[in-house]
Amino acid sequence: RCSCVGSGKDDVLALRVSKKRRSEYLEENPDSVVISYDTVMKDYIGVPETLFDDPDALAVLFADTVAHARTLKPKPTKK
């Protein structure tokens, strides 16, 4: 189980992506830093509301999120 989609401050849709993808995205969208409980979420990008009207661009971001999630090692289970 992996947390790859969440919400940040001000109910922003937050997607977990690779560090490289996050850097590229933040160069184009510097306001997309995700803050939760006064902490910058270093693996997440915020999706601007304008992208909700662009399903193709949103699909690319979700695909990147899923691809990145598949590369992560599972956390050990708690017993």
Side-chain angles (χ1 to χ4, degrees):
R1 202 164 162 188
C2 175
S3 174
C4 59
V5 178
S7 65
K9 185 178 176 186
D10 300 326
D11 293 327
V12 171
L13 176 63
L15 300 177
R16 189 174 187 179
V17 293
S18 68
K19 288 179 175 43
K20 179 182 176 190
R21 180 68 171 117
R22 183 177 183 270
S23 298
E24 294 168 355
Y25 191 81
L26 289 179
E27 281 180 22
E28 298 171 13
N29 304 285
D31 294 335
S32 293
V33 173
V34 177
I35 299 173
S36 181
Y37 297 101
D38 297 325
T39 303
V40 174
M41 304 299 289
K42 63 181 181 172
D43 294 335
Y44 291 81
I45 57 171
V47 179
E49 285 187 34
T50 55
L51 273 185
F52 295 160
D53 295 328
D54 187 352
D56 294 331
L58 204 52
V60 169
L61 285 178
F62 273 103
D64 289 348
T65 297
V66 171
H68 177 63
R70 289 183 175 155
T71 67
L72 301 174
K73 294 180 183 178
K75 291 182 180 181
T77 58
K78 295 180 182 178
K79 293 185 179 183

